[in-house]
Amino acid sequence: MVVCGDDGLAHRLAAELRGVYREQVTLVVPPAGRRVRQPVVGRARAASAALLDMVNAAVNRTGNADPGGADRELDATEPTEDVLADAGVERATALALVYDDDETNIRAALTARRLNPRLRLVLRLYNRRLGQHIEELLDQSATLATGDGPGPGTGSGTGTGTGTGAGSTTVLSDADTAAPALAATALVGTSKVVETDGLLLRAVERNPPRPGEVADPGLCTLALLSATSNDPAGADGSEGSGEHGPQLLPDAAAVEAATGRGTVALEQVSYSGPPLPAGRAGVPAFGELFSRRLRWSLAGLVACVVALAVALMLVTGDHPLHATYVTLLDLFSINEPAHNKDTGRQILQLLSGFVGLLLLPVLLAAVLEALGTFRSASALRKPPRGLGGHVVLLGLGKIGTRVLTRLREMDIPVVCVEADPEARGMATARRLRVPVVLGDVTQEGVLEAAKIHRAHSLLALTSVDTTNLEAVLYARSVRSRLRVVLRLYDDDFATAVYRTLRAAHPGALTRSRSVTHLAAPSFAGAMMGRQILGAIPVERRVLLFAAVEVAGHPQLEGKTVGEAFRAGAWRVLALEVPDGEVSDGGRAQGGAPERARESRLVWELPDTYVLRGSDRVVLAATRRGLAELLGRRAARRGVDV
C-alpha cells in the first residue's frame, strides 16, 4: 500500500492500514520543513509508530513473522513520476492520494494509472462532480490498458466510487465522510446518519428503558452505551482516549443483561428532500416576490375595479367587456370627462379616478418590493428577530459547507459566522438562504449578532484550533449550558480541552471531533478494495457500514444470518436483490418472505436465511472486525486484531 499526503490524514490512514489491516505501507509526505501543521503531523506519526509497535508485539507473541514487512517513509514535496516509481507504485496493490489540493491528487492519479493500470486508486477530492468524471476517465484508461473491466462493486456512499477491485478508482471526500457525524453531534436527539444511494440509515441513541418498558430495537441494536449515559462522550471527549467505552454489536444476551445503559439502535429513513417550511404551503409563486400586506392591497384594488365595472354595466346597460374597458379608462384618467352624462355615470367616473390614485402607490410598492426580493436573493441574510433554538456554525470552509448542507437537509435552523466574505461556503449559504454574520468570531459582538445567547448548540469548525477554543470559551461565558462541538486536530490538545471544559461546566455537553479520525476508516476500507458505505461514531469508537460480496468469505458463505453474526465484530444487516425481485431464500428456510424495496436492500432478514455465494450484503462492523473479515493477512496469520 502506498499513501501520499501532506497532512494528518495521511498518517492516520497509514496507521489504520498498518495497525488494523496488517498491510505493508509506504508513506510519502513532504519534507519536515514544508509539512502542514507540524505538531499535528508529528503526533499522527507517533500514533502510527505506536500502532505498528503494538502489531509487532502481537506478532511476536504468536511466533509469526512481521505481518507487514518493512514499512518505508519517503520525503517528497510533490508526488511526481519519479517519486511514485521510487515508492513502488508499479508493484503496489493500492495507492491513496490524500493531499489537501484536488489538482495535486488528480495529476498524481493520472501518472500512477499510466505506471500501473491494475493499481487500485483512492483519491481525496472535494469537488464531487469533478470526482465522478475523474473516476470514469481513470477506470476507462485501466480497462483499455488491461483489457479487463474495473473491479466489482459500486462506490462508497461517502464518495462517488465506481469500483472496488483491482484497477478501480474510488473518490472520497473527508468532508462528506465527517459531515454527518459532526452535524449529528450538535443536536439533541438527532440521529447519527449514514447516507447511501437513496438510502438513509439512522443510528438513534436511546435512554435506558424504565422498569416494565420494552425497548424498541429498531432494525437492530448497534451498541450499548457506556455507563455514563448522561454524557455519551464517556470518560473523555476526544477519540482514542478513555478506558471504558461502549459495547459495539452486542448479542441478544448482552442486550438483555445490560441494565441502566443506553443503546444505539439502527433505523431506516427514506429521504425525499427538505419539506416545505411551515406556513408556506399553499402560497403561490408570486408570494415570494410580494409581502402579504401588499398582496391584500392588490386584491382589494382588483375587487374595486370589478365592482365599478359591474356598477357601470347596471347604470348604462353596456356589455360587460365594454363596461370594464371604460372603467379602466376612467381608472387611468385617459377617458373623456362625463360632464354631459347622467349623474350616475359621473359619480362612477369620480370613484374610478379616486381608485386610480390609490393604485399608483401600490404599483410603486410592488415594483420596489420585487426589486428588493431579487437583491436580497443574492445578498446574505441576517438572523431574524426572535430566532432561538438554532445551531451557530463557525467557519464555511470545506467541512463547514458540508455540515451546513447536512443541517439544512434535516431542517435545522442555522446561523453561520465567517470572517472571509469570499469563503468557499458563501455561495451555498446564499442558495440555502441561511443567515450569515460576517466578522471575526474572536471579536466582541460577532457571536452576539449570531444570537448565541438563544442558540441550541455551537459548531466550531474553523481551521484554527485556537480560534475554535476561544469561540467556545466565550460562548460558554454567555451561556454556560450551551452544547458545543469543537473541530480540533491534535488529540492530546482535544482531550485536555474537553476535560477542562467538562470540569468547569459539568452540566453542559462538550464534544471534540477530528475529521481525520472519522475519515480514515473509509479511506482504508476503499484501499482494501471494499465498499465502505459510511461510518457512525459511537462515543469514542467508530462503527463501519460496508457492502460485501459473500463469495470468498467462509465466515459468511453457506451460513445462516444468525450463524454469520459475531458479537463485537460484524453483523449482517441487509441483503441486496435486483429491482423487482423478491428473494425466496427466507421461505426456503422457514422465514417470512422478504420484500424488495426501491433501494434494492431487503431488511429484517430472518436468522434462518442461508447466505449464498452470489449474495451481496450490507453489514455493520467494527474496524478490527472488518479487518478480520476482509483483511488479506490477519486471518491467514492468526494475528489477534
Side-chain angles (χ1 to χ4, degrees):
M1 301 290 177
V2 180
V3 178
C4 302
D6 58 357
D7 58 9
L9 180 58
H11 291 270
R12 288 272 190 179
L13 180 54
E16 190 85 11
L17 293 171
R18 291 165 175 165
V20 178
Y21 292 96
R22 309 297 193 263
E23 290 293 331
Q24 177 182 348
V25 181
T26 297
L27 181 61
V28 180
V29 292
R34 299 190 180 184
R35 286 182 188 149
V36 181
R37 295 187 173 270
Q38 275 292 319
V40 178
V41 173
R43 295 183 185 274
R45 173 188 283 184
S48 176
L51 271 177
L52 185 58
D53 291 340
M54 293 171 57
V55 173
N56 292 333
V59 172
N60 293 332
R61 288 195 302 267
T62 59
N64 293 322
D66 189 329
D71 293 277
R72 293 197 302 159
E73 181 171 326
L74 302 179
D75 290 339
T77 304
E78 293 184 359
T80 61
E81 181 174 351
D82 293 337
V83 171
L84 293 176
D86 189 21
V89 167
E90 297 177 354
R91 303 178 305 277
T93 301
L95 167 66
L97 297 166
V98 293
Y99 290 93
D100 192 51
D101 180 52
D102 287 1
E103 182 180 351
T104 301
N105 293 328
I106 294 173
R107 187 188 310 115
L110 296 174
T111 303
R113 178 61 78 212
R114 178 167 49 83
L115 294 175
N116 186 354
R118 296 187 179 276
L119 182 68
R120 186 182 302 123
L121 288 174
V122 178
L123 279 73
R124 172 190 183 184
L125 294 183
Y126 180 80
N127 191 329
R128 289 177 290 185
R129 180 176 298 180
L130 176 60
Q132 294 177 356
H133 296 303
I134 292 298
E135 282 180 355
E136 296 174 359
L137 174 64
L138 293 175
D139 284 343
Q140 183 178 3
S141 175
T143 302
L144 295 176
T146 62
D148 301 326
T154 56
S156 166
T158 56
T160 57
T162 58
T164 56
S168 65
T169 305
T170 304
V171 172
L172 297 174
S173 169
D174 56 337
D176 285 328
T177 305
L182 290 171
T185 307
L187 307 173
V188 173
T190 300
S191 310
K192 302 166 184 177
V193 294
V194 170
E195 187 177 4
T196 62
D197 298 332
L199 179 68
L200 198 63
L201 301 178
R202 181 170 65 177
V204 184
E205 292 186 6
R206 294 175 176 170
N207 295 325
R210 297 178 180 177
E213 292 183 351
V214 179
D216 181 13
L219 293 175
C220 69
T221 299
L222 294 177
L224 296 174
L225 297 176
S226 61
T228 55
S229 57
N230 61 330
D231 187 355
D236 294 287
S238 62
E239 296 84 355
S241 57
E243 298 178 357
H244 303 285
Q247 183 178 352
L248 301 183
L249 301 176
D251 54 18
V255 175
E256 293 178 0
T259 57
R261 298 180 65 178
T263 60
V264 177
L266 182 68
E267 294 181 354
Q268 180 183 359
V269 180
S270 59
Y271 175 72
S272 58
L276 203 63
R280 303 296 293 175
V283 176
F286 65 86
E288 297 293 334
L289 292 177
F290 308 123
S291 66
R292 183 178 180 181
R293 181 181 299 178
L294 184 58
R295 293 198 302 270
W296 277 110
S297 300
L298 290 173
L301 289 176
V302 171
C304 290
V305 172
V306 173
L308 290 173
V310 172
L312 183 62
M313 180 183 63
L314 295 177
V315 171
T316 62
D318 287 347
H319 188 272
L321 291 179
H322 186 266
T324 302
Y325 172 71
V326 173
T327 300
L328 292 176
L329 292 179
D330 294 335
L331 190 71
F332 295 113
S333 301
I334 56 177
N335 196 11
E336 294 182 358
H339 52 80
N340 294 326
K341 305 292 182 179
D342 54 16
T343 304
R345 175 71 182 87
Q346 293 175 350
I347 294 175
L348 289 176
Q349 190 175 56
L350 291 176
L351 291 176
S352 299
F354 179 72
V355 172
L357 293 177
L358 297 178
L359 180 62
L360 290 178
V362 173
L363 291 178
L364 179 60
V367 172
L368 294 178
E369 275 202 8
L371 291 177
T373 300
F374 284 117
R375 291 183 60 186
S376 61
S378 59
L380 295 174
R381 300 184 63 193
K382 295 182 179 180
R385 294 182 178 178
L387 179 65
H390 57 288
V391 175
V392 177
L393 175 62
L394 309 183
L396 286 175
K398 293 195 303 182
I399 305 298
T401 303
R402 292 288 192 255
V403 172
L404 172 61
T405 303
R406 296 285 181 173
L407 291 172
R408 293 305 300 133
E409 287 175 353
M410 294 185 287
D411 291 332
I412 304 299
V414 185
V415 174
C416 299
V417 179
E418 175 57 54
D420 183 10
E422 302 297 329
R424 186 191 299 263
M426 283 298 185
T428 302
R430 290 190 181 95
R431 176 174 56 84
L432 297 177
R433 304 183 66 183
V434 174
V436 178
V437 176
L438 283 176
D440 187 354
V441 70
T442 61
Q443 299 297 322
E444 186 177 356
V446 174
L447 283 178
E448 284 82 355
K451 304 188 183 301
I452 193 66
H453 56 286
R454 291 201 298 265
H456 173 272
S457 55
L458 171 66
L459 270 167
L461 303 180
T462 70
S463 58
V464 183
D465 288 358
T466 55
T467 299
N468 294 336
L469 177 58
E470 184 177 353
V472 167
L473 293 176
Y474 181 75
R476 278 284 168 82
S477 67
V478 176
R479 186 176 182 182
S480 60
R481 299 185 63 87
L482 180 69
R483 173 187 290 256
V484 298
V485 180
L486 295 86
R487 174 193 178 188
L488 299 177
Y489 286 83
D490 191 326
D491 281 344
D492 291 342
F493 181 51
T495 302
V497 168
Y498 170 78
R499 289 173 174 170
T500 304
L501 286 175
R502 185 179 182 183
H505 304 278
L509 216 55
T510 304
R511 297 290 185 274
S512 59
R513 291 290 180 258
S514 168
V515 174
T516 58
H517 178 89
L518 297 174
S522 296
F523 280 82
M527 290 191 71
M528 295 300 298
R530 311 301 177 185
Q531 181 189 356
I532 304 298
L533 301 177
I536 285 181
V538 179
E539 300 183 8
R540 300 174 305 276
R541 302 179 64 183
V542 176
L543 197 61
L544 301 178
F545 292 81
V548 177
E549 300 285 346
V550 174
H553 301 294
Q555 303 95 329
L556 303 177
E557 190 172 3
K559 297 183 181 297
T560 64
V561 173
E563 295 171 346
F565 169 55
R566 181 177 296 183
W570 62 77
R571 178 171 187 166
V572 176
L573 300 177
L575 173 69
E576 183 175 347
V577 297
D579 288 330
E581 177 182 328
V582 178
S583 174
D584 60 354
R587 297 192 190 94
Q589 303 298 327
E594 298 92 0
R595 295 170 295 168
R597 305 187 181 184
E598 293 182 359
S599 63
R600 302 195 304 161
L601 291 176
V602 178
W603 298 87
E604 300 179 359
L605 289 171
D607 290 341
T608 54
Y609 176 78
V610 178
L611 298 174
R612 300 166 294 186
S614 59
D615 288 339
R616 189 166 184 263
V617 296
V618 174
L619 53 83
T622 63
R623 291 188 296 175
R624 300 182 187 276
L626 189 63
E628 181 180 351
L629 179 65
L630 306 179
R632 297 185 300 169
R633 292 185 172 90
R636 183 169 64 243
R637 294 176 180 265
V639 179
D640 181 14
V641 293

